[in-house]
């Protein structure tokens, strides 16, 4: 257990708990950012430099900002006395706890997992090789992702358009 | 001799590091690089505030600061003392923690960005393989600082200013990335020292092979610097600050040292983004002509950086501020398509590198210029017509 | 505990936190944030297995998958938040338990 891993993992999990439990939605979004930074640090520790930077750029630079914007646009930042969770919230928490328990026990008790590193970080593909793989082996998924992003862009723009008010009220059934 | 002078700082650092036990050396090496970056660029910040005030004053036919020291050169020190001794006011209804963290969040990522910028031969803090991506990633963290400042202040002007700023920063991030993409395509690397190396060599008896001396590079450099101006919220894109309409926007509730931190962060990000522009298009620390190769590399980087800063000051002194709708139209209807075109032009340049018939060089130039100029003419045609003005009457 | 296991456990905990948030919170935006956390936990698993799993050293499969997953997450958030904002315009609420009619 090295200190870097402990710090990164602890920060990630603590910020995640805060992001899911705080009352003020803006605070939740800011804690979410800390979580994303923590996960990026974990990626760095695992030797995945490119993914780590991409994670920061997309999650912190785009997704967190989007969440913040949506929070302000829907005026849900204010602190109200309303209950935060659905009423039988223990049920949801119980389900999540069961899932975590199942995964953790199966991971800890599994004899199939490799016990030590099979790879030296220096042998990891360089950014250049990664780009070449993206453009050769994975070119079809890459194109599909491009299509998906375009579709999402257009979809979000259409959804965000202010609908024109109907000039005549629709006939009552 | 020239060699030693060029590597003076590298050798000095090596000598200092060698004095210490081996297990401390990596830490000390990193610390020395960081200390040098912070010291040099904070000093440059102080000098730039003086230069900017003097330059703007000259443009506006004034004298500028001239009381503290010769030519007012010690003005930054006086400014710093004033900032430090001012009362640090936090609004009562502000979100204390967020309000406190915002200036730190603004400065720290900018300082991180310097880690990947090569300021001279062998003078880069860390040569990351995905250095350019790292720079862009930490650059996107400043948006968050702006939001934290605007929302944490609990003031409607600061929130409005922050929203404006984020919309602008996000819109101009895309042209910035695309303008840099052409260079990545031609250089075949995301590492900034490798990009500098890709511009080595000379053409036509002594002119350096910088990317800016190609049609796509010239267009890319122009677009990159425009996007950089907007990304650092400099005039004419200083809507987020907009002191005459929303009184400094997201920074309105900050005073004293925290305000100074915002100021510092803004200038440091200006230097950082200029440094990356220099690295991508202006050959980094390389000299423009072969007969100037005797000058140390960091001097060239410094001179280019200074030229960029003077350009920014000149721009600020002479351009009026854009309206918000003009800003967005410019980003999405002109900058974004044009940067896409420069990527295509860079690809055409890269593919035509193998041509070897008579006059291939000229044809290559003509083709690449056509790829840029025809879309420019089509996209920019509306803007070439004489503008009509509407006056309030 | 082997290096792989501890990353898997962190990912499992992160997934659980996201799941708990998505299942219990009433605000639609936070539910989306919980889903993002679960996706991130899955990405962490991919990278951990890429790093410690037994397969050719130069293969970038795990990394490439995570890059695609990040792109999908971005698309999902953009559309999801646009939907939430649109619903808010009609219903003036982002509480999920108040969206109990099929009529807009």
């Amino acid at each position: 257990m090295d200190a870097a891993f402990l710090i990164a993992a602890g920060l990630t999990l603590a910020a995640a708990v805060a992001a899911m439990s705080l009352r003020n939605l803006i605070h939740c979004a800011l804690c979410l950012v800390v979580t994303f930074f923590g996960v990026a640090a974990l990626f760095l520790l695992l030797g995945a430099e490119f993914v780590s930077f991409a994670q920061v750029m997309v999650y912190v630079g785009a997704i967190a900002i989007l969440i913040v914007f949506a929070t302000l646009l829907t005026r849900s930042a204010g602190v109200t006395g309303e209950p935060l969770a659905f009423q039988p919230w223990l049920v949801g928490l119980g389900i999540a706890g069961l899932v975590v328990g199942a995964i953790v026990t199966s991971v800890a008790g599994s004899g199939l997992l490799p016990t030590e590193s099979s790879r030296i970080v220096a042998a990891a593909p360089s950014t250049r090789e990664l780009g070449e793989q993206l453009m050769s082996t994975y070119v079809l998924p890459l194109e599909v992702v491009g299509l998906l992003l375009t579709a999402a862009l257009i979809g979000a723009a259409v959804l965000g358009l202010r609908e024109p008010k109907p000039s005549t009220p629709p006939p009552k059934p | 001799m020239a060699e030693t002078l060029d590597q003076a700082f590298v050798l000095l650092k090596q000598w200092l590091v060698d004095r210490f036990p081996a297990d401390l050396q990596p830490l000390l090496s990193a610390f020395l690089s960081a200390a040098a970056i912070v010291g040099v660029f904070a000093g440059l910040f102080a000098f730039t505030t003086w230069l900017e005030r003097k330059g703007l004053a000259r443009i506006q036919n004034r004298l500028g600061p001239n009381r503290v020291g010769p030519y007012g050169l010690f003005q930054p020190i006086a400014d710093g003392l004033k900032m430090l001794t001012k009362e640090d006011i936090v609004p009562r209804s502000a979100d204390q923690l967020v309000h406190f963290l915002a200036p730190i969040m603004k400065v720290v990522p900018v300082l991180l960005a310097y880690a990947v910028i090569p300021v001279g031969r062998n003078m880069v803090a860390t040569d990351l393989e995905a250095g350019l991506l790292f720079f862009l990633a930490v650059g996107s963290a400043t948006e968050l600082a702006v939001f934290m400042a605007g929302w944490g202040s609990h003031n409607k002007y600061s929130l409005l200013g922050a929203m404006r700023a984020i919309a602008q920063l996000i819109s101009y991030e895309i042209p910035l990335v695309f303008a840099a993409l052409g260079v990545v395509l031609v250089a075949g690397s995301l590492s900034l020292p490798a990009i500098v190396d890709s511009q080595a060599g000379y053409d036509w008896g002594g002119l350096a092979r910088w990317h800016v001396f190609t049609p796509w590079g010239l267009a890319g450099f122009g677009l990159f610097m425009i996007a950089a101006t907007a990304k650092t919220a400099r005039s004419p894109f200083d809507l987020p600050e907009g002191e005459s309409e929303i009184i400094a926007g997201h920074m309105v509730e900050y005073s004293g040292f925290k305000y100074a931190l915002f100021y510092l962060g803004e200038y440091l990000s200006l230097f950082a983004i200029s440094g990356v522009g220099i690295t991508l298009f202006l050959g980094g620390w390389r000299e423009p002509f072969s007969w100037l190769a005797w000058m140390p590399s960091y001097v060239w980087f410094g001179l280019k950086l200074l030229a960029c800063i003077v350009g920014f000051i000149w721009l600020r002194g002479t351009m009026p501020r854009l309206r918000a709708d003009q800003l967005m139209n410019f980003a999405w209807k002109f900058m974004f398509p044009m940067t896409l075109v420069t990527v295509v032009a860079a690809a055409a340049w890269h593919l035509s590198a193998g041509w070897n018939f008579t006059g291939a060089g000229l044809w290559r130039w003509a083709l690449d210029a056509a790829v840029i100029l025809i879309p420019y003419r089509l996209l920019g045609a509306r803007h070439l017509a004489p503008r009509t003005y509407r006056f309030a009457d | 505990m082997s290096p792989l296991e501890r990353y898997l456990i962190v990912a499992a905990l992160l997934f659980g936190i996201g799941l708990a948030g998505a299942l219990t919170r009433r605000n639609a935006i936070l539910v989306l944030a919980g889903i993002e956390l679960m996706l991130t936990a899955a990405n962490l698993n991919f990278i951990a297995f890429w790093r410690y799993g037994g397969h050719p050293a130069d293969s970038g499969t795990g990394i490439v998958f995570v890059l695609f997953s990040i792109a999908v997450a971005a698309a999902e958030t953009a559309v999801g938040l646009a939907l939430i904002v649109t619903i808010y315009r009609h219903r003036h609420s982002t509480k999920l338990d108040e969206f109990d009619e099929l009529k807009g």
Side-chain angles (χ1 to χ4, degrees), chain A residues 16-160:
Chain A
V17 170
M20 288 294 111
S21 58
L22 287 179
R23 187 165 271 279
N24 190 326
L25 266 181
I26 300 285
H27 287 167
C28 292
L30 294 177
C31 287
L32 205 63
V33 169
V34 178
T35 313
F36 291 146
F37 270 121
V39 173
L42 287 175
F43 285 165
L44 266 188
L45 287 178
L46 284 165
E49 196 180 279
F50 189 84
V51 173
S52 169
F53 300 155
Q55 157 101 6
V56 171
M57 198 165 161
V58 174
Y59 275 92
V60 177
I63 290 182
I65 296 286
L66 267 182
I67 288 178
V68 158
F69 257 81
T71 310
L72 290 178
L73 283 176
T74 56
R75 293 165 204 274
S76 23
V79 181
T80 53
E82 290 177 55
L84 284 179
F86 293 120
Q87 259 332 294
W89 57 274
L90 263 177
V91 177
L93 219 56
I95 293 173
L98 276 180
V99 171
V100 173
I103 300 177
V104 169
T105 47
S106 55
V107 164
S110 164
L112 294 172
L113 295 173
T115 49
E116 59 197 53
S117 170
S118 68
R119 174 201 309 274
I120 317 136
V121 178
S126 68
T127 309
R128 192 191 174 86
E129 286 164 7
L130 208 62
E132 274 161 8
Q133 285 188 15
L134 267 179
M135 278 296 162
S136 54
T137 321
Y138 304 102
V139 70
L140 196 65
L142 187 73
E143 295 298 321
V144 173
V145 164
L147 200 67
L148 174 80
L149 283 176
T150 315
L153 177 72
I154 297 170
V158 168
L159 281 174

Side-chain angles (χ1 to χ4, degrees), chain B residues 264-328:
Chain B
L264 176 72
E266 224 159 68
Y267 275 91
L268 284 184
S269 68
L270 180 74
F271 304 153
I273 212 159
S274 305
V276 169
I278 289 167
T279 306
L280 291 177
F281 296 100
L282 298 184
W285 39 262
R286 291 188 179 276
E287 61 287 336
F289 300 105
S290 54
W291 45 272
L292 282 172
W294 53 271
M295 275 167 83
S297 53
Y298 45 85
V299 171
W300 278 116
F301 186 86
L303 285 177
K304 288 175 198 173
L305 189 58
L306 217 55
C308 281
I309 292 169
V310 169
F312 278 122
I313 293 173
W314 191 352
L315 209 61
R316 177 171 170 185
T318 46
M319 295 281 277
R321 186 181 302 137
L322 268 73
R323 277 197 325 255
D325 61 322
Q326 290 169 334
L327 182 91
M328 287 297 153

Side-chain angles (χ1 to χ4, degrees), chain B residues 135-182:
Chain B
F135 177 81
L136 294 169
V138 293
S140 64
T142 53
E143 287 152 28
L144 214 65
V146 170
F147 172 78
M148 283 164 76
W151 183 80
S153 302
H154 208 276
N155 174 323
K156 52 169 103 62
Y157 290 107
S158 43
L159 191 58
L160 276 177
M163 286 299 153
R164 260 191 194 192
I166 291 170
Q168 169 178 337
L169 293 182
I170 288 184
S171 303
Y172 279 89
E173 185 153 352
I174 297 161
L176 192 81
V177 174
F178 273 107
L181 192 61

Side-chain angles (χ1 to χ4, degrees), chain B residues 88-273:
Chain B
D88 178 26
I89 302 167
V90 180
R92 191 182 297 157
S93 62
D95 194 304
Q96 306 288 326
L97 186 65
V98 178
H99 186 269
F100 172 75
L101 284 177
I104 300 170
M105 189 74 193
K106 172 97 184 180
V107 174
V108 170
V110 178
L111 284 176
L112 281 179
Y114 282 98
V116 293
I117 299 175
V119 294
R121 192 177 275 118
N122 302 328
M123 284 165 74
V124 57
T126 49
D127 179 8
L128 288 178
E129 209 184 0
L132 187 62
L133 190 69
F134 175 81
F135 177 81
L136 294 169
V138 293
S140 64
T142 53
E143 287 152 28
L144 214 65
V146 170
F147 172 78
M148 283 164 76
W151 183 80
S153 302
H154 208 276
N155 174 323
K156 52 169 103 62
Y157 290 107
S158 43
L159 191 58
L160 276 177
M163 286 299 153
R164 260 191 194 192
I166 291 170
Q168 169 178 337
L169 293 182
I170 288 184
S171 303
Y172 279 89
E173 185 153 352
I174 297 161
L176 192 81
V177 174
F178 273 107
L181 192 61
V183 178
V184 175
L185 199 84
V186 170
S189 176
L190 281 168
S191 148
L192 292 177
I195 287 173
V196 174
D197 285 339
S198 77
Q199 304 176 59
Y202 305 98
D203 280 329
W204 304 321
L207 184 68
R209 212 174 282 160
W210 294 355
H211 290 320
V212 76
F213 297 140
T214 58
W216 66 269
L218 187 62
F221 180 64
L223 292 165
F224 186 90
M225 281 331 241
I226 295 172
T229 320
K231 192 95 171 77
T232 50
R234 293 275 306 182
S235 175
F237 300 104
D238 61 345
L239 281 90
E241 213 179 310
E243 63 272 68
S244 55
E245 9 178 327
I246 45 171
I247 43 171
H250 57 279
M251 297 180 286
V252 69
E253 293 290 2
Y254 282 89
S255 59
F257 192 59
K258 287 182 193 156
Y259 182 76
L261 276 183
F262 272 108
Y263 212 62
L264 176 72
E266 224 159 68
Y267 275 91
L268 284 184
S269 68
L270 180 74
F271 304 153
I273 212 159

Side-chain angles (χ1 to χ4, degrees), chain A residues 2 20 22 25 46 51 59 74-75 82-86 89 100 114-115 117-119 121 133 138 141 159-160, chain C residues 2 6 16 21 24-27 30 36 50-53 55 57-58 60-61 63 66 68 73 86 88-90 95:
Chain A
D2 47 330
M20 288 294 111
L22 287 179
L25 266 181
L46 284 165
V51 173
Y59 275 92
T74 56
R75 293 165 204 274
E82 290 177 55
L84 284 179
F86 293 120
W89 57 274
V100 173
T115 49
S117 170
S118 68
R119 174 201 309 274
V121 178
Q133 285 188 15
Y138 304 102
L159 281 174
Chain C
S2 76
R6 62 187 202 200
T24 53
R25 292 296 293 247
R26 290 173 74 209
N27 194 302
L30 262 187
E36 289 305 322
W50 165 80
R51 172 80 166 73
Y52 294 112
H55 50 86
D58 60 339
T61 320
I63 291 189
V66 171
F68 289 152
T86 314
Y88 177 79
R89 275 199 208 130
H90 284 269
K95 306 278 185 297

